[in-house]
Amino acid sequence: GVALRVQTVSSNQEMSAAMRGASRAMQSMNRSMNLPGMQKVLMDFERESDVMDMKEEMMNDAIDDAMEDDAEEDEEDESNAIVQQVLDEIGLQLNQSLADAPQTLAAHQDTSEGAEVALDDDAALQARLDSLRKE
């Protein structure tokens, strides 16, 4: 028990000496620190950092705009080429179809004949449907 108390007192004295040394070091640092000067430096740093951020954002926007314009032009050129190719193909097919088309107008059929053809087609379809149902 006595040895433990002696050790505790000794530890307390060492801690007190260490705290005294830390306190003196802190006092020395506080005297040497120029708080207004440090505040000014930090404010200057913050202001310059904000200016740099704004410039960086402006540069990024300018680069993005330039890249978008190039990409849009490339896409537009590519889409125009595809449309032209499709139109050329359709034009060839259309020209071939027009060459095969008759040059005179066919006589207009009577509407009653057209109705009879439609009825015949319906009857034929119904007959095929009935035969499939029977199977």
Side-chain angles (χ1 to χ4, degrees), residues 27-52:
Q27 286 175 350
S28 173
M29 288 294 293
N30 285 336
R31 276 182 284 199
S32 67
M33 284 179 32
N34 181 4
L35 191 58
M38 287 181 66
Q39 285 178 331
K40 182 181 181 314
V41 168
L42 290 174
M43 288 175 57
D44 289 345
F45 175 81
E46 184 178 2
R47 184 172 15 95
E48 293 301 322
S49 179
D50 289 343
V51 169
M52 188 174 77

PDB file of all heavy atoms in Angstrom, residues 27-52:
ATOM      1  N   GLN A  27       2.220  29.337 -23.840  1.00  0.00           N
ATOM      2  CA  GLN A  27       2.362  30.780 -23.629  1.00  0.00           C
ATOM      3  C   GLN A  27       3.332  31.364 -24.642  1.00  0.00           C
ATOM      4  O   GLN A  27       3.087  32.430 -25.219  1.00  0.00           O
ATOM      5  CB  GLN A  27       2.840  31.074 -22.208  1.00  0.00           C
ATOM      6  CG  GLN A  27       1.797  30.900 -21.141  1.00  0.00           C
ATOM      7  CD  GLN A  27       2.368  31.100 -19.740  1.00  0.00           C
ATOM      8  OE1 GLN A  27       3.582  31.198 -19.557  1.00  0.00           O
ATOM      9  NE2 GLN A  27       1.483  31.160 -18.744  1.00  0.00           N
ATOM     10  N   SER A  28       4.427  30.663 -24.853  1.00  0.00           N
ATOM     11  CA  SER A  28       5.423  31.133 -25.813  1.00  0.00           C
ATOM     12  C   SER A  28       4.821  31.184 -27.226  1.00  0.00           C
ATOM     13  O   SER A  28       5.038  32.153 -27.975  1.00  0.00           O
ATOM     14  CB  SER A  28       6.642  30.207 -25.773  1.00  0.00           C
ATOM     15  OG  SER A  28       7.541  30.526 -26.795  1.00  0.00           O
ATOM     16  N   MET A  29       4.068  30.160 -27.594  1.00  0.00           N
ATOM     17  CA  MET A  29       3.435  30.139 -28.922  1.00  0.00           C
ATOM     18  C   MET A  29       2.415  31.274 -29.054  1.00  0.00           C
ATOM     19  O   MET A  29       2.345  31.925 -30.088  1.00  0.00           O
ATOM     20  CB  MET A  29       2.732  28.793 -29.148  1.00  0.00           C
ATOM     21  CG  MET A  29       3.674  27.625 -29.360  1.00  0.00           C
ATOM     22  SD  MET A  29       4.614  27.785 -30.880  1.00  0.00           S
ATOM     23  CE  MET A  29       3.344  27.629 -32.084  1.00  0.00           C
ATOM     24  N   ASN A  30       1.632  31.502 -28.018  1.00  0.00           N
ATOM     25  CA  ASN A  30       0.630  32.574 -28.060  1.00  0.00           C
ATOM     26  C   ASN A  30       1.278  33.938 -28.218  1.00  0.00           C
ATOM     27  O   ASN A  30       0.743  34.801 -28.913  1.00  0.00           O
ATOM     28  CB  ASN A  30      -0.241  32.547 -26.795  1.00  0.00           C
ATOM     29  CG  ASN A  30      -1.256  31.420 -26.822  1.00  0.00           C
ATOM     30  OD1 ASN A  30      -1.629  30.949 -27.889  1.00  0.00           O
ATOM     31  ND2 ASN A  30      -1.699  30.983 -25.644  1.00  0.00           N
ATOM     32  N   ARG A  31       2.426  34.148 -27.554  1.00  0.00           N
ATOM     33  CA  ARG A  31       3.126  35.436 -27.701  1.00  0.00           C
ATOM     34  C   ARG A  31       3.703  35.605 -29.095  1.00  0.00           C
ATOM     35  O   ARG A  31       3.696  36.702 -29.639  1.00  0.00           O
ATOM     36  CB  ARG A  31       4.244  35.560 -26.671  1.00  0.00           C
ATOM     37  CG  ARG A  31       3.745  36.055 -25.336  1.00  0.00           C
ATOM     38  CD  ARG A  31       4.888  36.200 -24.408  1.00  0.00           C
ATOM     39  NE  ARG A  31       5.174  34.792 -24.042  1.00  0.00           N
ATOM     40  CZ  ARG A  31       5.847  34.395 -22.998  1.00  0.00           C
ATOM     41  NH1 ARG A  31       6.408  35.262 -22.214  1.00  0.00           N
ATOM     42  NH2 ARG A  31       6.004  33.144 -22.710  1.00  0.00           N
ATOM     43  N   SER A  32       4.185  34.498 -29.659  1.00  0.00           N
ATOM     44  CA  SER A  32       4.821  34.617 -30.972  1.00  0.00           C
ATOM     45  C   SER A  32       3.796  34.640 -32.114  1.00  0.00           C
ATOM     46  O   SER A  32       4.113  35.066 -33.227  1.00  0.00           O
ATOM     47  CB  SER A  32       5.813  33.469 -31.191  1.00  0.00           C
ATOM     48  OG  SER A  32       5.131  32.233 -31.288  1.00  0.00           O
ATOM     49  N   MET A  33       2.574  34.184 -31.865  1.00  0.00           N
ATOM     50  CA  MET A  33       1.556  34.167 -32.929  1.00  0.00           C
ATOM     51  C   MET A  33       0.977  35.559 -33.119  1.00  0.00           C
ATOM     52  O   MET A  33       0.600  36.222 -32.160  1.00  0.00           O
ATOM     53  CB  MET A  33       0.428  33.187 -32.573  1.00  0.00           C
ATOM     54  CG  MET A  33       0.821  31.744 -32.775  1.00  0.00           C
ATOM     55  SD  MET A  33      -0.450  30.525 -32.356  1.00  0.00           S
ATOM     56  CE  MET A  33      -1.957  31.285 -32.721  1.00  0.00           C
ATOM     57  N   ASN A  34       0.913  35.961 -34.362  1.00  0.00           N
ATOM     58  CA  ASN A  34       0.302  37.236 -34.722  1.00  0.00           C
ATOM     59  C   ASN A  34      -1.095  36.917 -35.250  1.00  0.00           C
ATOM     60  O   ASN A  34      -1.283  36.649 -36.434  1.00  0.00           O
ATOM     61  CB  ASN A  34       1.171  37.930 -35.774  1.00  0.00           C
ATOM     62  CG  ASN A  34       0.601  39.273 -36.177  1.00  0.00           C
ATOM     63  OD1 ASN A  34      -0.395  39.721 -35.627  1.00  0.00           O
ATOM     64  ND2 ASN A  34       1.248  39.902 -37.138  1.00  0.00           N
ATOM     65  N   LEU A  35      -2.080  36.914 -34.377  1.00  0.00           N
ATOM     66  CA  LEU A  35      -3.437  36.502 -34.739  1.00  0.00           C
ATOM     67  C   LEU A  35      -4.027  37.359 -35.859  1.00  0.00           C
ATOM     68  O   LEU A  35      -4.556  36.802 -36.837  1.00  0.00           O
ATOM     69  CB  LEU A  35      -4.335  36.507 -33.501  1.00  0.00           C
ATOM     70  CG  LEU A  35      -5.709  35.856 -33.684  1.00  0.00           C
ATOM     71  CD1 LEU A  35      -5.571  34.413 -34.127  1.00  0.00           C
ATOM     72  CD2 LEU A  35      -6.499  35.952 -32.397  1.00  0.00           C
ATOM     73  N   PRO A  36      -3.955  38.687 -35.803  1.00  0.00           N
ATOM     74  CA  PRO A  36      -4.490  39.480 -36.920  1.00  0.00           C
ATOM     75  C   PRO A  36      -3.789  39.159 -38.241  1.00  0.00           C
ATOM     76  O   PRO A  36      -4.424  39.091 -39.294  1.00  0.00           O
ATOM     77  CB  PRO A  36      -4.243  40.928 -36.500  1.00  0.00           C
ATOM     78  CG  PRO A  36      -4.148  40.894 -35.014  1.00  0.00           C
ATOM     79  CD  PRO A  36      -3.539  39.555 -34.699  1.00  0.00           C
ATOM     80  N   GLY A  37      -2.498  38.962 -38.183  1.00  0.00           N
ATOM     81  CA  GLY A  37      -1.753  38.624 -39.403  1.00  0.00           C
ATOM     82  C   GLY A  37      -2.184  37.279 -39.967  1.00  0.00           C
ATOM     83  O   GLY A  37      -2.337  37.117 -41.193  1.00  0.00           O
ATOM     84  N   MET A  38      -2.395  36.297 -39.067  1.00  0.00           N
ATOM     85  CA  MET A  38      -2.843  34.980 -39.528  1.00  0.00           C
ATOM     86  C   MET A  38      -4.246  35.059 -40.122  1.00  0.00           C
ATOM     87  O   MET A  38      -4.537  34.423 -41.136  1.00  0.00           O
ATOM     88  CB  MET A  38      -2.815  33.973 -38.371  1.00  0.00           C
ATOM     89  CG  MET A  38      -1.407  33.558 -37.986  1.00  0.00           C
ATOM     90  SD  MET A  38      -1.398  32.364 -36.651  1.00  0.00           S
ATOM     91  CE  MET A  38      -2.143  30.958 -37.408  1.00  0.00           C
ATOM     92  N   GLN A  39      -5.109  35.853 -39.511  1.00  0.00           N
ATOM     93  CA  GLN A  39      -6.460  36.018 -40.044  1.00  0.00           C
ATOM     94  C   GLN A  39      -6.418  36.624 -41.443  1.00  0.00           C
ATOM     95  O   GLN A  39      -7.155  36.215 -42.334  1.00  0.00           O
ATOM     96  CB  GLN A  39      -7.304  36.895 -39.117  1.00  0.00           C
ATOM     97  CG  GLN A  39      -7.758  36.193 -37.863  1.00  0.00           C
ATOM     98  CD  GLN A  39      -8.555  37.114 -36.946  1.00  0.00           C
ATOM     99  OE1 GLN A  39      -8.355  38.331 -36.927  1.00  0.00           O
ATOM    100  NE2 GLN A  39      -9.453  36.514 -36.168  1.00  0.00           N
ATOM    101  N   LYS A  40      -5.538  37.626 -41.624  1.00  0.00           N
ATOM    102  CA  LYS A  40      -5.411  38.259 -42.939  1.00  0.00           C
ATOM    103  C   LYS A  40      -4.925  37.252 -43.979  1.00  0.00           C
ATOM    104  O   LYS A  40      -5.451  37.193 -45.091  1.00  0.00           O
ATOM    105  CB  LYS A  40      -4.458  39.446 -42.860  1.00  0.00           C
ATOM    106  CG  LYS A  40      -4.314  40.194 -44.170  1.00  0.00           C
ATOM    107  CD  LYS A  40      -3.338  41.338 -44.044  1.00  0.00           C
ATOM    108  CE  LYS A  40      -3.173  42.138 -45.299  1.00  0.00           C
ATOM    109  NZ  LYS A  40      -2.992  41.394 -46.524  1.00  0.00           N
ATOM    110  N   VAL A  41      -3.924  36.448 -43.611  1.00  0.00           N
ATOM    111  CA  VAL A  41      -3.399  35.431 -44.535  1.00  0.00           C
ATOM    112  C   VAL A  41      -4.494  34.437 -44.910  1.00  0.00           C
ATOM    113  O   VAL A  41      -4.670  34.091 -46.086  1.00  0.00           O
ATOM    114  CB  VAL A  41      -2.177  34.718 -43.913  1.00  0.00           C
ATOM    115  CG1 VAL A  41      -1.809  33.483 -44.704  1.00  0.00           C
ATOM    116  CG2 VAL A  41      -0.995  35.666 -43.824  1.00  0.00           C
ATOM    117  N   LEU A  42      -5.262  33.992 -43.920  1.00  0.00           N
ATOM    118  CA  LEU A  42      -6.331  33.020 -44.191  1.00  0.00           C
ATOM    119  C   LEU A  42      -7.436  33.628 -45.053  1.00  0.00           C
ATOM    120  O   LEU A  42      -7.984  32.964 -45.937  1.00  0.00           O
ATOM    121  CB  LEU A  42      -6.900  32.484 -42.877  1.00  0.00           C
ATOM    122  CG  LEU A  42      -5.965  31.570 -42.090  1.00  0.00           C
ATOM    123  CD1 LEU A  42      -6.563  31.216 -40.735  1.00  0.00           C
ATOM    124  CD2 LEU A  42      -5.655  30.305 -42.881  1.00  0.00           C
ATOM    125  N   MET A  43      -7.772  34.891 -44.801  1.00  0.00           N
ATOM    126  CA  MET A  43      -8.785  35.555 -45.628  1.00  0.00           C
ATOM    127  C   MET A  43      -8.294  35.707 -47.062  1.00  0.00           C
ATOM    128  O   MET A  43      -9.053  35.497 -48.016  1.00  0.00           O
ATOM    129  CB  MET A  43      -9.160  36.910 -45.019  1.00  0.00           C
ATOM    130  CG  MET A  43      -9.993  36.777 -43.754  1.00  0.00           C
ATOM    131  SD  MET A  43     -10.339  38.348 -42.928  1.00  0.00           S
ATOM    132  CE  MET A  43     -11.129  39.292 -44.199  1.00  0.00           C
ATOM    133  N   ASP A  44      -7.017  36.087 -47.232  1.00  0.00           N
ATOM    134  CA  ASP A  44      -6.436  36.197 -48.567  1.00  0.00           C
ATOM    135  C   ASP A  44      -6.464  34.838 -49.277  1.00  0.00           C
ATOM    136  O   ASP A  44      -6.795  34.743 -50.461  1.00  0.00           O
ATOM    137  CB  ASP A  44      -4.995  36.718 -48.499  1.00  0.00           C
ATOM    138  CG  ASP A  44      -4.927  38.186 -48.105  1.00  0.00           C
ATOM    139  OD1 ASP A  44      -5.980  38.864 -48.161  1.00  0.00           O
ATOM    140  OD2 ASP A  44      -3.819  38.637 -47.729  1.00  0.00           O
ATOM    141  N   PHE A  45      -6.117  33.787 -48.542  1.00  0.00           N
ATOM    142  CA  PHE A  45      -6.122  32.435 -49.117  1.00  0.00           C
ATOM    143  C   PHE A  45      -7.528  32.059 -49.571  1.00  0.00           C
ATOM    144  O   PHE A  45      -7.718  31.537 -50.674  1.00  0.00           O
ATOM    145  CB  PHE A  45      -5.606  31.416 -48.095  1.00  0.00           C
ATOM    146  CG  PHE A  45      -5.690  29.999 -48.574  1.00  0.00           C
ATOM    147  CD1 PHE A  45      -4.717  29.482 -49.413  1.00  0.00           C
ATOM    148  CD2 PHE A  45      -6.741  29.177 -48.196  1.00  0.00           C
ATOM    149  CE1 PHE A  45      -4.796  28.178 -49.876  1.00  0.00           C
ATOM    150  CE2 PHE A  45      -6.830  27.879 -48.643  1.00  0.00           C
ATOM    151  CZ  PHE A  45      -5.849  27.370 -49.485  1.00  0.00           C
ATOM    152  N   GLU A  46      -8.519  32.318 -48.735  1.00  0.00           N
ATOM    153  CA  GLU A  46      -9.902  31.981 -49.081  1.00  0.00           C
ATOM    154  C   GLU A  46     -10.368  32.748 -50.321  1.00  0.00           C
ATOM    155  O   GLU A  46     -10.979  32.180 -51.227  1.00  0.00           O
ATOM    156  CB  GLU A  46     -10.823  32.296 -47.898  1.00  0.00           C
ATOM    157  CG  GLU A  46     -12.262  31.883 -48.127  1.00  0.00           C
ATOM    158  CD  GLU A  46     -13.139  32.172 -46.924  1.00  0.00           C
ATOM    159  OE1 GLU A  46     -12.658  32.719 -45.922  1.00  0.00           O
ATOM    160  OE2 GLU A  46     -14.334  31.844 -47.017  1.00  0.00           O
ATOM    161  N   ARG A  47     -10.044  34.058 -50.383  1.00  0.00           N
ATOM    162  CA  ARG A  47     -10.434  34.877 -51.525  1.00  0.00           C
ATOM    163  C   ARG A  47      -9.780  34.363 -52.803  1.00  0.00           C
ATOM    164  O   ARG A  47     -10.443  34.194 -53.837  1.00  0.00           O
ATOM    165  CB  ARG A  47     -10.050  36.341 -51.281  1.00  0.00           C
ATOM    166  CG  ARG A  47     -10.497  37.284 -52.379  1.00  0.00           C
ATOM    167  CD  ARG A  47     -10.273  38.765 -52.047  1.00  0.00           C
ATOM    168  NE  ARG A  47      -9.384  39.056 -50.944  1.00  0.00           N
ATOM    169  CZ  ARG A  47      -8.073  39.336 -51.084  1.00  0.00           C
ATOM    170  NH1 ARG A  47      -7.538  39.370 -52.271  1.00  0.00           N
ATOM    171  NH2 ARG A  47      -7.330  39.609 -50.030  1.00  0.00           N
ATOM    172  N   GLU A  48      -8.475  34.103 -52.754  1.00  0.00           N
ATOM    173  CA  GLU A  48      -7.762  33.622 -53.936  1.00  0.00           C
ATOM    174  C   GLU A  48      -8.257  32.232 -54.353  1.00  0.00           C
ATOM    175  O   GLU A  48      -8.336  31.922 -55.543  1.00  0.00           O
ATOM    176  CB  GLU A  48      -6.253  33.607 -53.686  1.00  0.00           C
ATOM    177  CG  GLU A  48      -5.635  34.976 -53.527  1.00  0.00           C
ATOM    178  CD  GLU A  48      -5.855  35.859 -54.737  1.00  0.00           C
ATOM    179  OE1 GLU A  48      -5.801  35.361 -55.881  1.00  0.00           O
ATOM    180  OE2 GLU A  48      -6.085  37.070 -54.544  1.00  0.00           O
ATOM    181  N   SER A  49      -8.606  31.415 -53.371  1.00  0.00           N
ATOM    182  CA  SER A  49      -9.143  30.087 -53.676  1.00  0.00           C
ATOM    183  C   SER A  49     -10.485  30.209 -54.406  1.00  0.00           C
ATOM    184  O   SER A  49     -10.749  29.487 -55.371  1.00  0.00           O
ATOM    185  CB  SER A  49      -9.308  29.283 -52.388  1.00  0.00           C
ATOM    186  OG  SER A  49      -9.854  28.017 -52.659  1.00  0.00           O
ATOM    187  N   ASP A  50     -11.334  31.142 -53.961  1.00  0.00           N
ATOM    188  CA  ASP A  50     -12.613  31.370 -54.627  1.00  0.00           C
ATOM    189  C   ASP A  50     -12.407  31.856 -56.057  1.00  0.00           C
ATOM    190  O   ASP A  50     -13.101  31.416 -56.984  1.00  0.00           O
ATOM    191  CB  ASP A  50     -13.455  32.390 -53.844  1.00  0.00           C
ATOM    192  CG  ASP A  50     -13.989  31.824 -52.541  1.00  0.00           C
ATOM    193  OD1 ASP A  50     -13.991  30.579 -52.377  1.00  0.00           O
ATOM    194  OD2 ASP A  50     -14.406  32.632 -51.677  1.00  0.00           O
ATOM    195  N   VAL A  51     -11.458  32.790 -56.242  1.00  0.00           N
ATOM    196  CA  VAL A  51     -11.163  33.295 -57.590  1.00  0.00           C
ATOM    197  C   VAL A  51     -10.691  32.151 -58.486  1.00  0.00           C
ATOM    198  O   VAL A  51     -11.123  32.014 -59.638  1.00  0.00           O
ATOM    199  CB  VAL A  51     -10.115  34.429 -57.535  1.00  0.00           C
ATOM    200  CG1 VAL A  51      -9.604  34.776 -58.919  1.00  0.00           C
ATOM    201  CG2 VAL A  51     -10.712  35.663 -56.861  1.00  0.00           C
ATOM    202  N   MET A  52      -9.822  31.297 -57.943  1.00  0.00           N
ATOM    203  CA  MET A  52      -9.312  30.169 -58.723  1.00  0.00           C
ATOM    204  C   MET A  52     -10.446  29.209 -59.085  1.00  0.00           C
ATOM    205  O   MET A  52     -10.511  28.714 -60.208  1.00  0.00           O
ATOM    206  CB  MET A  52      -8.229  29.433 -57.937  1.00  0.00           C
ATOM    207  CG  MET A  52      -7.519  28.364 -58.743  1.00  0.00           C
ATOM    208  SD  MET A  52      -6.143  27.625 -57.868  1.00  0.00           S
ATOM    209  CE  MET A  52      -7.018  26.553 -56.749  1.00  0.00           C
TER     210      MET A  52
END
